[in-house]
Amino acid sequence: MVVLETAAQPLVILAQAMLFVKLKVVADMVSLCSRVALKAWLIALYPSHAIWAYCVGHAVSSALLVVIYYGTLLWHVRSPDNCLPVKSASELGPRLVPGQPALDRDQLALTWSFFKQGLLKQLLTEGERYLMTAFHLLDFSEQGLYDVVANLGSLAARFLFQPVEENAYVYFSRTVERGKPVSAAAGRVLHDLLRAMSLLGLVAVTFGWSYSHLLLRLYGGALLAAGPAVSLLRAQCAYVLLLAVNGVLECYTFAVMRQEQINGYNRKMVLLSVIFVVSTGIFTRLFGGVGFILANCVNMLTRIYVCYRFVAGLPLEPAVSVPPLLGLRPPPAVAAALVTAGLLAAGSESWLYPGSAAGHVAVGALCGAAVVAAAVHSEPRLLQAVRERVGDKLKRS
């Protein structure tokens, strides 16, 4: 599986650089659907060999990724209108160029910096699972409950935030020059992305508090909703807000950082890792499974703080009329609508739920419509950008 996925990575990077968004969507969809279908079929046939079914499903999906990407590459290479910067698949692999050194020292140093950064980010992102397993901070039933709630709460990050972050990084890396002042176009896009993602996160916090019990009841039944899962999911909603903000800030930060700045950021991430481990130990002993989510929130807050200070210190071009970081501040009308909606939803949970789940949902729908109306009224530029994007999609189709 590792070999197959590694073989597809050069083409994945090339597709991102060439803005082949549809190719990535189709490849990921085919890979995911085939993996899920094959796993379900093999587990149904051989229930005692679930681990082998898991491995076979991943191997087949990885092989499909390789086939799709390399097939697309061969089609472009043989086409007379080849728009790729390569003429054959062999150019993507390691090769010696006459008259040039075998390894580019600058590229090697930059790759090493990104490798260290990726390793530290992996520890910060999945560190709670390593600590949970190594130090037995939770028993197995609590670990299972935590995984269920964490996977449910991270659906927004996987299916909404991650594609936005990937496309944002590609855009910023192609339009922003490292070490140069923030341009008007990049500043406007960063401002709009921060505004949109922060609003989505605030909506998750506003309605997640009052509808966590109902969602868990629908998802796993009364037994799941009766335990500490409700508190876990409510804390996860706050974590989703921080994920939304941190993803966009880190995209822009990594797109404009020079190599020495990346090395400095890596040293800061070592300190952030220590803070994360210490906060995990303290919060877990005080709050149990919720402590892991609170430690993740502390981790995200520290990362947001580092990126915020970096972006705030960048020079702006004279044409930039609105500082990009002001996108983190919601308009007064939207903030008032969110506060009102949160209070009404909490009152509905106390007075209507669980006696009238339909009434509770109706109150949430009305409050959500009011928040959307306030956002549309306060953010005409975002609405116009969405309309233009949808219009372009309809014209292409």
Side-chain angles (χ1 to χ4, degrees):
M1 290 186 294
V2 175
V3 174
L4 291 173
E5 291 187 3
T6 304
Q9 284 307 305
L11 289 175
V12 173
I13 297 173
L14 179 61
Q16 286 186 339
M18 300 300 297
L19 300 180
F20 291 166
V21 179
K22 291 185 179 179
L23 173 61
K24 178 175 175 56
V25 171
V26 171
D28 290 345
M29 182 184 67
V30 172
S31 176
L32 178 62
C33 293
S34 63
R35 180 167 69 246
V36 172
L38 187 58
K39 282 181 185 178
W41 181 63
L42 291 176
I43 291 175
L45 290 178
Y46 309 102
S48 59
H49 297 81
I51 297 179
W52 285 104
Y54 180 86
C55 295
V56 171
H58 269 277
V60 171
S61 64
S62 300
L64 284 175
L65 276 180
V66 174
V67 170
I68 291 173
Y69 277 107
Y70 273 93
T72 304
L73 172 65
L74 293 177
W75 182 81
H76 275 282
V77 167
R78 295 179 180 179
S79 173
D81 300 327
N82 181 22
C83 60
L84 298 179
V86 296
K87 302 301 181 182
S88 66
S90 61
E91 295 184 19
L92 296 175
R95 59 194 179 98
L96 294 177
V97 179
Q100 296 185 7
L103 295 175
D104 189 328
R105 293 184 177 273
D106 295 334
Q107 294 294 329
L108 185 62
L110 186 61
T111 302
W112 175 242
S113 298
F114 276 116
F115 173 77
K116 292 186 292 183
Q117 183 185 104
L119 181 61
L120 290 171
K121 286 187 66 176
Q122 174 67 20
L123 293 175
L124 288 174
T125 305
E126 301 290 339
E128 79 274 6
R129 302 184 186 275
Y130 303 139
L131 294 173
M132 192 186 303
T133 304
F135 298 102
H136 304 287
L137 298 176
L138 299 178
D139 57 37
F140 290 120
S141 62
E142 292 175 331
Q143 290 184 27
L145 186 63
Y146 176 85
D147 286 337
V148 169
V149 175
N151 290 332
L152 182 63
S154 62
L155 289 177
R158 293 178 181 177
F159 294 104
L160 183 60
F161 298 160
Q162 184 177 356
V164 172
E165 293 167 9
E166 291 177 353
N167 291 315
Y169 179 77
V170 172
Y171 171 81
F172 289 135
S173 61
R174 292 170 64 94
T175 58
V176 178
E177 296 185 32
R178 300 179 187 270
K180 299 292 184 179
V182 180
S183 63
R188 183 174 63 253
V189 172
L190 178 59
H191 176 276
D192 292 345
L193 282 176
L194 289 175
R195 177 62 55 81
M197 300 298 277
S198 60
L199 288 179
L200 289 174
L202 288 172
V203 168
V205 173
T206 300
F207 294 97
W209 181 269
S210 301
Y211 290 88
S212 292
H213 188 280
L214 178 60
L215 179 60
L216 290 172
R217 186 179 175 184
L218 294 175
Y219 179 74
L223 182 62
L224 179 61
V230 177
S231 300
L232 287 171
L233 188 55
R234 286 173 174 173
Q236 189 74 20
C237 291
Y239 183 54
V240 167
L241 169 61
L242 299 178
L243 279 176
V245 175
N246 178 74
V248 176
L249 278 178
E250 283 194 343
C251 284
Y252 189 82
T253 300
F254 297 152
V256 302
M257 272 186 172
R258 298 187 299 272
Q259 180 181 335
E260 60 272 14
Q261 293 172 328
I262 294 175
N263 293 332
Y265 183 81
N266 291 338
R267 290 190 291 268
K268 293 177 182 177
M269 290 189 73
V270 174
L271 177 59
L272 300 185
S273 302
V274 175
I275 295 174
F276 172 67
V277 172
V278 173
S279 61
T280 300
I282 295 174
F283 289 145
T284 305
R285 296 184 184 276
L286 293 176
F287 306 108
V290 179
F292 277 109
I293 302 178
L294 295 179
N296 281 327
C297 291
V298 172
N299 169 34
M300 282 297 155
L301 283 172
T302 53
R303 289 165 64 174
I304 290 173
Y305 174 74
V306 172
C307 294
Y308 184 93
R309 289 199 59 183
F310 176 80
V311 176
L314 294 175
L316 304 176
E317 288 186 353
V320 178
S321 58
V322 179
L325 292 176
L326 286 181
L328 294 172
R329 184 185 304 171
V334 178
L338 287 170
V339 172
T340 305
L343 294 175
L344 291 175
S348 172
E349 185 182 29
S350 301
W351 300 327
L352 299 178
Y353 185 77
S356 176
H360 186 41
V361 173
V363 172
L366 292 175
C367 293
V371 171
V372 172
V376 170
H377 179 267
S378 303
E379 297 292 340
R381 192 173 66 181
L382 281 180
L383 181 62
Q384 182 64 26
V386 172
R387 286 177 177 174
E388 292 176 357
R389 185 64 177 170
V390 174
D392 292 341
K393 287 288 185 181
L394 293 176
K395 290 179 181 178
R396 292 176 184 176
S397 60

